[in-house]
Amino acid sequence: MAKKWFVVHTYSGFENKVRDALQQRIKEHHMEDRFGEVLIPTETVSEPRAGGKSRVRQKNSFPGYVFVEMEMSEEAWHLVKDTPKVTGFIGNQRPQEV
């Protein structure tokens, strides 16, 4: 079965923690072969600051969402869904691939 991309809904602001926790859980459950990349889409933005300087920072393109490349199965679904701060997949019980 080929890996496909799915969108996971998380608590806004916890995307990095979810990515790290998910990668840790994948290792703990020895499911590295069923998962690919875990991405948080970001863009680089420049914000003007006092004194004419600007600050460059990474901004989440889709706050509250993490993209996961995986082979969908019952075990993989539960591994992602039971990760702290994950509220579910886009498509809930029938996750929609992107």
Side-chain angles (χ1 to χ4, degrees):
M1 182 187 262
K3 293 181 182 79
K4 296 185 170 128
W5 287 97
F6 294 90
V7 181
V8 177
H9 191 260
T10 69
Y11 291 2
S12 192
F14 287 92
E15 298 86 2
N16 290 331
K17 280 189 169 44
V18 166
R19 180 193 57 208
D20 297 344
L22 185 54
Q23 289 171 333
Q24 184 65 40
R25 287 172 53 83
I26 291 167
K27 281 192 186 101
E28 286 172 5
H29 290 83
H30 307 290
M31 293 176 73
E32 294 94 331
D33 57 327
R34 297 191 200 171
F35 286 85
E37 294 182 78
V38 179
L39 296 178
I40 301 167
T42 58
E43 56 187 323
T44 304
V45 293
S46 180
E47 298 174 334
R49 308 229 22 194
K53 294 184 177 179
S54 63
R55 184 179 98 165
V56 176
R57 71 176 187 94
Q58 292 294 104
K59 178 183 171 213
N60 280 0
S61 302
F62 303 105
Y65 295 97
V66 175
F67 289 74
V68 180
E69 186 183 20
M70 61 187 281
E71 289 177 16
M72 185 55 71
S73 68
E74 191 78 21
E75 300 86 26
W77 185 88
H78 281 291
L79 183 114
V80 174
K81 186 89 170 79
D82 296 341
T83 302
K85 309 280 189 262
V86 167
T87 55
F89 284 91
I90 297 295
N92 276 334
Q93 298 300 322
R94 293 175 184 256
Q96 297 295 309
E97 61 193 63
V98 187

